[in-house]
Amino acid sequence: SLQSISIDIAREGTTQTRMRISGIASSREGLRAYHSAISALPFVVSADLPLSVYAKENDIPFTIDIGSAPTL
């Protein structure tokens, strides 16, 4: 599960929206599940999470950079 979360959204021109989700995950398993769920969203073209975040087992600070598909 996630203990806290914040979302920042920025438009890059007219073709792509970049989002950044930051927070603290209670466990590796919770973070892995959250990252997988985000990656599977139909509008997400990339969901970048550094492997180094998995060095901790609990109370893991993370930032996922997300690129979305162009909007019509």
Side-chain angles (χ1 to χ4, degrees):
S1 70
L2 302 177
Q3 296 175 3
S4 67
I5 190 167
S6 67
I7 301 173
D8 295 314
I9 300 173
R11 253 200 127 97
E12 294 181 356
T14 58
T15 60
Q16 190 176 42
T17 300
R18 297 285 310 166
M19 294 172 271
R20 175 171 281 175
I21 299 176
S22 299
I24 299 175
S26 298
S27 67
R28 287 180 187 158
E29 294 78 23
L31 180 55
R32 192 173 299 116
Y34 188 65
H35 181 243
S36 293
I38 289 172
S39 297
L41 293 170
F43 61 87
V44 171
V45 294
S46 65
D48 301 325
L49 177 67
L51 290 176
S52 60
V53 300
Y54 292 110
K56 288 185 71 177
E57 288 187 38
N58 300 305
D59 301 324
I60 305 164
F62 70 90
T63 298
I64 302 173
D65 288 312
I66 300 167
S68 69
T71 56
L72 299 175

